[in-house]
Amino acid sequence: CPIADFDEAAITRAMTGRDLESGQYTAPEPSGAPRLEYRNVSVPGHLADVSLSVWPGEVVGVSGLIGSGRTELALAAFGMLPPQTGAVLVDGREVTPRSVQQAIDAGIAYVPEDRLSEGLFLTRSIRDNSIVSSIRRFAPGLWMNRRAASDATREMFDRMAIAAPSPEVAVGTLSGGNQQRVMIGRWLMTGAKVLILNGPTVGVDVGSKATIHAIIHRMAREEGLAVLMISDDVPELVANCNRVVTMVHGRIIAELSGPTLTEDALNDSLRLNIEVPA
C-alpha cells in the first residue's frame, strides 16, 4: 500500500492481524510499606546514594544510557553487586542480599538483558528451564518430584501463553518472545514479590511485546507484584510504567509520572547525561 495509508497502528495490525491496546499504565494508590526499597545504596564506581521505593502494583521504569548505573541498580538488589553502604528492603524488612540465593529467598527475581547468554539453557526443555530457579521446591532432597515439576510447568506454560507443542521441547527452538515468557514465568514460579526486568522485550516482535506487557500489568495489578523495568526503549517505558526515573553516573537525577511522563520529557531528562558531571 502507499505509505500515506499507514500509521503505526495500521502497520502493527498488518503484522499481527489484531489491534494492540495502548495507553499509559495506571497503578493502584500506594499503601503500607514499599514492596521494594533502595535506601541510600552506594556501590563504589557504580551507584551513589540511590534511594527508590516501588509499591505493590507499581511498574516503575528506569531509563539511562549505557554506563548510567541502571543495570547495576538491578544487580545490587539481586545479590550480584552487594551495596557497600545503604540497604535493600522488601516489604519493610531489610534483606540486602549478598548472593543470588539470598535475593531469591527474599522474593526478588531478575530477568537479565541477554536471555541467550545469561538466562536460558537453550538445549534443555521448557520444563527444565522453568524449574531451575525453584529447584528446591521440587527436589528438597536427593530426588526430584517430576510430577510436581511437570504440573507446575504446565500451569506456568498456560499462564504465560507460551506457543509451543509442549513443555518438553527445547527452549532454543522457540521464538524470542516465547523464550522471554519462559524467563519471566520461571521467576514467577519462585513466588517472587519483586520482578526486575532488564530490557524485557529486546529482540521480541511487536505482537509478543504487547503480550508480555499485558502479562506484566496483570501480575502487578492482580497479584501486587512490584516491577522495576529497565529499558532504553523510551516509548516502552512511557506506555508501560506509572513512574520512570532517569539515572546518570550512578545517581537518580529525575522522576516523571502521570501527565509529566511523556516521550519528550523523558528524552529531555536523558539528555542530561552529557550535562551532569560525574
Side-chain angles (χ1 to χ4, degrees), residues 247-271:
M247 295 194 68
V248 174
H249 303 312
R251 297 180 174 90
I252 292 175
I253 62 160
E255 179 177 318
L256 300 170
S257 62
T260 68
L261 179 53
T262 65
E263 291 185 29
D264 287 343
L266 187 51
N267 279 320
D268 286 343
S269 72
L270 286 169
R271 291 188 188 99

Side-chain angles (χ1 to χ4, degrees), residues 4 12 21 26 98 131 158 175 178 184 190 208 220 225:
T12 300
E21 294 183 7
T26 303
R98 302 287 167 179
I131 66 175
D158 294 337
S175 68
N178 283 292
I184 295 171
T190 67
S208 290
L225 195 69

Side-chain angles (χ1 to χ4, degrees), residues 20-21 23 25 59 160 180-181 184 197 199-202 204-221 227 229 231 233 235-241:
L20 303 182
E21 294 183 7
Y25 175 72
V59 181
M160 301 300 294
Q180 193 71 351
R181 278 177 259 178
I184 295 171
L197 301 163
T201 57
V202 171
V204 172
D205 69 77
V206 66
S208 290
K209 182 182 289 191
T211 300
I212 290 170
H213 290 156
I215 290 170
I216 292 168
H217 293 164
R218 185 180 70 243
M219 293 185 302
R221 283 197 185 100
V227 180
M229 181 183 290
S231 178
D233 185 337
E236 177 176 55
L237 292 175
V238 171
N240 291 284
C241 303

Side-chain angles (χ1 to χ4, degrees), residues 1-272:
C1 295
I3 192 170
D5 294 347
F6 278 108
D7 57 14
E8 184 175 346
I11 293 173
T12 300
R13 190 183 310 112
M15 292 173 64
T16 65
R18 58 193 172 105
D19 290 313
L20 303 182
E21 294 183 7
S22 61
Q24 199 172 85
Y25 175 72
T26 303
E29 286 295 321
S31 63
R35 180 125 289 174
L36 171 67
E37 183 178 0
Y38 293 83
R39 188 175 290 174
N40 305 114
V41 168
S42 292
V43 179
H46 300 288
L47 300 173
D49 196 32
V50 173
S51 293
L52 175 66
S53 297
V54 186
W55 273 265
E58 279 203 298
V59 181
V60 175
V62 181
S63 67
L65 303 184
I66 294 173
S68 64
R70 62 186 195 185
T71 294
E72 289 76 9
L73 186 71
L75 300 182
F78 198 58
M80 297 177 70
L81 193 67
Q84 180 167 310
T85 59
V88 176
L89 296 84
V90 174
D91 288 338
R93 181 175 64 88
E94 182 177 345
V95 294
T96 314
R98 302 287 167 179
S99 69
V100 169
Q101 190 58 57
Q102 286 182 0
I104 294 172
D105 292 342
I108 301 171
Y110 173 57
V111 177
E113 188 170 17
D114 190 339
R115 60 180 171 272
L116 300 181
S117 65
E118 297 180 278
L120 295 170
F121 302 95
L122 296 175
T123 61
R124 307 292 297 192
S125 67
I126 294 172
R127 186 195 63 184
D128 290 349
N129 275 273
S130 298
I131 66 175
V132 68
S133 296
S134 51
I135 192 69
R136 292 188 298 180
R137 171 182 167 191
F138 306 107
L142 294 176
W143 305 100
M144 179 183 293
N145 186 334
R146 293 188 176 275
R147 179 180 293 276
S150 294
D151 289 347
T153 301
R154 172 57 70 176
E155 181 181 347
M156 182 279 294
F157 187 88
D158 294 337
R159 182 185 188 193
M160 301 300 294
I162 295 168
S166 81
E168 300 305 319
V169 304
V171 78
T173 66
L174 304 180
S175 68
N178 283 292
Q179 288 178 348
Q180 193 71 351
R181 278 177 259 178
V182 171
M183 282 284 296
I184 295 171
R186 167 202 291 175
W187 287 111
L188 298 179
M189 288 174 65
T190 67
K193 301 175 181 178
V194 175
L195 180 62
I196 304 174
L197 301 163
N198 195 350
T201 57
V202 171
V204 172
D205 69 77
V206 66
S208 290
K209 182 182 289 191
T211 300
I212 290 170
H213 290 156
I215 290 170
I216 292 168
H217 293 164
R218 185 180 70 243
M219 293 185 302
R221 283 197 185 100
E222 297 178 4
E223 302 176 25
L225 195 69
V227 180
L228 201 61
M229 181 183 290
I230 302 167
S231 178
D232 54 13
D233 185 337
V234 169
E236 177 176 55
L237 292 175
V238 171
N240 291 284
C241 303
N242 60 286
R243 288 189 288 139
V244 177
V245 298
T246 299
M247 295 194 68
V248 174
H249 303 312
R251 297 180 174 90
I252 292 175
I253 62 160
E255 179 177 318
L256 300 170
S257 62
T260 68
L261 179 53
T262 65
E263 291 185 29
D264 287 343
L266 187 51
N267 279 320
D268 286 343
S269 72
L270 286 169
R271 291 188 188 99
L272 291 174

